Amino acid sequence: MSILVKQIQALAHHYVRQGAKAHRRLQVGRMIKFVEFIDQTERPHNLHEIGKRHVIAFWKAHRDLAPKTAHAYWLALCVIWEWTDKPGQPPKPLCIAKSELKEDQP
């Protein structure tokens, strides 16, 4: 088990205890899949070293995700962003970004 997975599990212990348990367990599973992907491509030593570049690489490698699944992963990444006190939000997948642009245009 990698360092990043251990960090996610440690932070998720309190996260899973609150709210809808089944949904939060799914979110933690998505977070773990994301950090395992990052761990395979690069070797960050800490969760705080993960940035936008890593998220974009994840989206490029997973272009085949359904929009609903991609949105669920993005929400999981938002939680990681909160835990690491990063400003703003993580980059959205292209399928979500395009749909938001269509909604904004008349």
Side-chain angles (χ1 to χ4, degrees), residues 14-51:
H14 181 68
Y15 176 73
V16 173
R17 290 179 57 183
Q18 300 172 346
K21 309 291 189 275
H23 173 71
R24 297 229 172 176
R25 285 187 196 107
L26 285 173
Q27 289 293 80
V28 170
R30 291 181 185 112
M31 292 178 211
I32 289 173
K33 288 178 186 174
F34 169 72
V35 296
E36 284 176 344
F37 171 80
I38 297 303
D39 204 33
Q40 288 175 357
T41 56
E42 296 185 25
R43 292 284 185 191
H45 300 292
N46 194 341
L47 201 57
H48 296 280
E49 294 177 10
I50 293 176

Side-chain angles (χ1 to χ4, degrees), residues 51-68:
K52 291 182 179 183
R53 181 173 50 91
H54 298 102
V55 176
I56 292 170
F58 179 77
W59 294 134
K60 285 182 179 179
H62 295 88
R63 290 176 195 233
D64 57 338
L65 290 175
K68 188 173 180 178

